[in-house]
Amino acid sequence: MLPQQYSLVLSSEFARAVRQGRRKGSKSVVVYVWEHNAEAGIARWGGPRFGLIVSKAVGNAVVRHRTSRRLRHVCARLAAQLPDRFDVVVRALPAAATASSEELMRDVRKALQRLDAIA
């Protein structure tokens, strides 16, 4: 599980990242990145924050929970590589249900690199 400091909690935070952020997709996920600036006035919690969107299109409850667990672990591993100023939302596509953890990591990392969030 992601520590609270790395989690987006409020629906307004998700909406802001999805609507105002930049996005890149792959076959299994779409990654949205919203970068805080000095004028945003948002208190930082000590790291980048992540949120997950795993809809019923991905599969039944068992499949969605398994996909969410895998994506949480991916986000936890990537948290140390991202600057504090990012809010990241990862939306799972139906292909994420059959993707391995390594494939999910590769897809999320590639999307973040294309968004210039990590090197």
Side-chain angles (χ1 to χ4, degrees):
M1 185 152 178
L2 279 172
Q4 184 178 3
Q5 67 186 16
Y6 295 124
S7 297
L8 288 175
V9 207
L10 302 176
S11 62
S12 62
E13 296 171 340
F14 276 86
R16 181 179 49 230
V18 171
R19 291 186 184 136
Q20 296 177 10
R22 299 171 292 143
R23 75 171 180 222
K24 292 290 178 192
S26 66
K27 71 175 191 168
S28 63
V29 295
V30 177
V31 178
Y32 301 87
V33 173
W34 184 72
E35 186 173 357
H36 296 266
N37 53 26
E39 301 87 47
I42 296 177
R44 297 308 304 155
W45 295 92
R49 298 184 303 170
F50 293 90
L52 302 177
I53 301 171
V54 184
S55 72
K56 287 186 178 182
V58 173
N60 64 23
V62 173
V63 172
R64 290 194 312 269
H65 287 293
R66 182 179 59 230
T67 303
S68 295
R69 277 195 310 274
R70 289 179 176 169
L71 286 172
R72 273 196 305 273
H73 286 285
V74 165
C75 293
R77 289 172 51 191
L78 291 172
Q81 300 173 20
L82 288 169
D84 290 354
R85 65 183 184 274
F86 289 121
D87 282 351
V88 178
V89 174
V90 179
R91 182 168 50 97
L93 299 175
T98 57
S100 68
S101 296
E102 292 80 25
E103 292 170 327
L104 291 173
M105 173 63 100
R106 185 186 65 237
D107 287 348
V108 172
R109 182 186 299 276
K110 186 191 321 183
L112 288 170
Q113 287 172 342
R114 289 172 45 202
L115 289 165
D116 296 324
I118 61 174

